[in-house]
Amino acid sequence: MLALSLLLASGAVTGCGGRATTHHKPGTTHEQASGNTGTLLTADDGSGHRLREVPAEGAPEVRLTARPDSEDGWNLQLAVENFRFTPDSTGGAALPGAGHAHLELDGRKLARLYGPWFHLPAAQVPEGAHTLTVRLYADDHTAWAVSGKPVEGMMQLTAAASGSHPGGHSHGATPPPEQADRTVTITVRDGRVSPAPARTELRRGERVALRVTSDRADTLHVHGYDKELALPARQEATLILTADRTGLFEVETHESALILTQLLVR
């Protein structure tokens, strides 16, 4: 009985070796988990995520580059060292050299990144010169830091007026919803989704426009396609994607964790 009690106690401490909780499951927050990697500092990254200090030798590194997309916006590449993307364990404990990234435009968060490539629609970048920043985070949402500074990469990006050519980007604006095969219009207010979440059926290859207006700033995420879109408060935002994968894919908001619709692609 004593041995059994010890085993049960040990299992409770280690989590029984189960898979880390993800940020999509109930009960998870952006507070630090029980991981003891590095040193948790009182300072934060400027957006409320505390810094997790690690030695400079072997610390995560990231460089950001961008190149114009032939149809719209830019394709961003995150070149990382001593780091791996771990989307399946987001929300779990901080593990060495693992986690995800945040993309910011002039200090405003645009998206959470789970891989080295991200398509930035031109519609999200106003005309003029801007600063793009990517910052690396642990699975528990603390920011990796060296010498008290977040691990990040920055670059300058200039968006020309709509209608000009690359660097001006004649294809810079996101295609209007009329160019999509299907348009789904959704409103989020006071934590409720209107119309009520349902399935949107699509044929493979169809283009769908997701037009979302939220009463609070949030992030739209299309599971399976790894597409994200910043949702400014009380402003309509549109994400257009080509349904080139079959299956059932949930569309949700990150911060409020609301299911907006399900894309059923046949």
Side-chain angles (χ1 to χ4, degrees), residues 118-119 219-229 239-242 252 254:
F118 180 79
H119 178 249
T219 304
L220 177 75
H221 182 207
V222 183
H223 288 269
Y225 286 85
D226 290 328
K227 295 289 187 181
E228 290 196 346
L229 176 69
L239 173 67
I240 298 181
L241 64 83
T242 301
E252 71 165 8
H254 267 313

Side-chain angles (χ1 to χ4, degrees), residues 41-129:
L41 306 181
T42 56
D44 64 39
D45 64 348
S47 62
H49 299 271
R50 293 177 64 180
L51 303 184
R52 186 173 291 278
E53 178 84 18
V54 291
E57 183 177 357
E61 299 179 27
V62 60
R63 295 185 303 277
L64 177 65
T65 57
R67 61 188 183 194
D69 183 81
S70 60
E71 292 188 359
D72 166 60
W74 298 265
N75 293 315
L76 309 183
Q77 182 179 18
L78 283 66
V80 297
E81 295 184 16
N82 305 318
F83 184 82
R84 67 189 188 282
F85 291 96
T86 53
D88 285 345
S89 57
T90 301
L95 300 178
H100 55 278
H102 288 185
L103 174 67
E104 294 182 352
L105 177 71
D106 300 331
R108 177 176 63 88
K109 181 182 174 182
L110 291 181
R112 185 185 296 168
L113 311 184
Y114 297 101
W117 287 96
F118 180 79
H119 178 249
L120 176 61
Q124 295 194 37
V125 185
E127 179 183 353

Side-chain angles (χ1 to χ4, degrees), residues 124-165:
Q124 295 194 37
V125 185
E127 179 183 353
H130 305 277
T131 300
L132 278 177
T133 304
V134 287
R135 189 173 300 123
L136 299 183
Y137 291 80
D139 284 332
D140 67 349
H141 301 282
T142 54
W144 293 115
V146 174
S147 301
K149 296 182 179 180
V151 175
E152 60 186 27
M154 304 175 67
M155 65 164 291
Q156 300 300 310
L157 183 71
T158 300
S162 177
S164 54
H165 201 267

Side-chain angles (χ1 to χ4, degrees), residues 176-178 182-188 194-195 208-214 220 229 231 235-240 260:
E178 297 78 44
R182 295 283 304 278
T183 298
V184 181
T185 302
I186 300 168
T187 300
V188 179
S194 178
V208 59
L210 301 171
R211 302 176 59 181
V212 181
T213 303
S214 173
L220 177 75
L229 176 69
L231 299 176
Q235 296 182 30
E236 184 179 86
T238 302
L239 173 67
I240 298 181
L260 305 184

